Amino acid sequence: MRTTAEILNVISKFKDGYVFTYDELGFEPEKTNAVIIALNRLVKEGKLRKISKGRYYKPQMTEFGELKPDTFQVVKDLLQKDKKVIGYLTGFSVFNSLFLTTQVSNTIQIGCNNEKKAISRGMYKIRFIKQANRITEDNIPLLQILDSIRFIKDIPDTNQNQSCNRFIAILKELAPERLNQLKKLVLKYNASTRALTGALIDMVEADNGTQIIYESLNPATAYSFSISTQTLPTKDKWRIR
């Protein structure tokens, strides 16, 4: 019981929804088994929730019911290591944060520089998307935008015309220097993403700032999207069909 009381004292300092492992509790290695037993007992009592093996959090209750932990908390060890960025949230969770859809998913997608196999954590399926650009704290928001453009066909509960209108609004909000940075980053994406990004940027920028993107494309290749000319008048220039 003493171990349980000590654990409760430590986790009382954690915020609700904070995901932790038993290593973070600060107990001596010889107490590991006792700590694990005590943690699992607290789960049975409803004082803790268990996401997956060795990962726990304090449940957060609201007037609308119990909240799940933040997506970042579920996978934070896969995003940073020794205070260095090794990955970033992308895909479904970003579709939601960019207001491209209101749907949520139990699939968490992470952009990273290396190929990795999908894993599971409790109810969550975690998939990894290879990113060719070097990942930094500064460029993550831009990579999230480009990833969303890349996967426009996978955005749920919407259509590509609606998504394009939202992307145009997002790009208009970028400062000129950030938009120029995005133009450089997109050069390491696949051709169809480059073409669509170029067409979208042409909708928000009057000068010829997309020429480098245009010249990176094969002039004989067309790109298939379900986007109308009314939504994207620049589509013909970029051979979007």
Side-chain angles (χ1 to χ4, degrees):
M1 294 300 294
R2 180 182 175 187
T3 301
T4 301
E6 291 173 339
I7 290 173
L8 288 171
N9 180 56
V10 174
I11 67 175
S12 68
K13 300 177 178 64
F14 295 158
K15 292 182 179 180
D16 291 344
Y18 176 82
V19 175
F20 63 92
T21 65
Y22 46 77
D23 292 333
E24 295 180 63
L25 299 177
F27 288 90
E28 297 84 354
E30 57 268 23
K31 288 189 175 181
T32 297
N33 288 337
V35 170
I36 293 173
I37 291 171
L39 286 170
N40 289 330
R41 183 184 301 117
L42 290 170
V43 170
K44 289 181 180 179
E45 294 173 357
K47 295 177 181 177
L48 290 178
R49 297 285 185 267
K50 186 174 183 179
I51 290 182
S52 59
K53 184 177 180 180
R55 298 185 182 280
Y56 306 84
Y57 69 96
K58 289 193 300 181
Q60 182 177 1
M61 301 303 298
T62 71
E63 59 181 311
F64 303 107
E66 183 177 327
L67 297 181
K68 295 179 182 178
D70 181 81
T71 303
F72 173 82
Q73 287 293 325
V74 176
V75 296
K76 59 187 175 181
D77 58 305
L78 303 174
L79 305 179
Q80 293 183 350
K81 184 176 182 180
D82 299 326
K83 298 184 178 180
K84 180 181 178 182
V85 175
I86 58 173
Y88 63 96
L89 289 171
T90 190
F92 294 114
S93 61
V94 173
F95 295 161
N96 193 271
S97 65
L98 290 178
F99 303 105
L100 289 159
T101 184
T102 56
Q103 286 198 7
V104 295
S105 174
N106 287 337
T107 297
I108 300 174
Q109 293 169 298
I110 295 175
C112 58
N113 290 139
N114 301 311
E115 297 278 0
K116 293 184 180 181
K117 293 182 179 179
I119 61 174
S120 295
R121 282 190 176 170
M123 63 182 292
Y124 299 97
K125 184 77 171 179
I126 302 170
R127 300 179 186 274
F128 299 91
I129 298 171
K130 188 174 181 180
Q131 173 58 250
N133 290 286
R134 187 171 71 90
I135 301 166
T136 67
E137 288 279 5
D138 178 68
N139 71 18
I140 284 175
L142 300 177
L143 296 177
Q144 290 172 328
I145 294 171
L146 290 172
D147 286 351
S148 298
I149 294 173
R150 175 185 175 187
F151 296 113
I152 187 173
K153 297 177 182 179
D154 299 327
I155 301 173
D157 196 32
T158 189
N159 60 56
Q160 292 177 40
N161 285 310
Q162 292 172 328
S163 295
C164 274
N165 285 328
R166 178 59 190 146
F167 284 129
I168 292 168
I170 290 169
L171 294 176
K172 284 181 177 178
E173 292 172 358
L174 294 178
E177 61 272 16
R178 294 292 275 171
L179 192 58
N180 286 333
Q181 188 179 357
L182 182 140
K183 293 175 194 173
K184 295 176 182 178
L185 293 170
V186 78
L187 294 174
K188 291 190 177 182
Y189 279 74
N190 63 324
S192 61
T193 303
R194 300 200 303 273
L196 181 54
T197 302
L200 291 167
I201 295 174
D202 274 352
M203 293 290 293
V204 303
E205 189 176 57
D207 63 22
N208 202 25
T210 56
Q211 188 62 26
I212 189 172
I213 303 174
Y214 189 81
E215 291 175 354
S216 75
L217 300 172
N218 185 331
T221 303
Y223 307 97
S224 178
F225 293 95
S226 299
I227 303 170
S228 69
T229 303
Q230 183 178 5
T231 299
L232 196 62
T234 55
K235 61 179 285 189
D236 287 343
K237 169 188 171 181
W238 294 88
R239 296 181 297 280
I240 293 173
R241 305 291 183 254

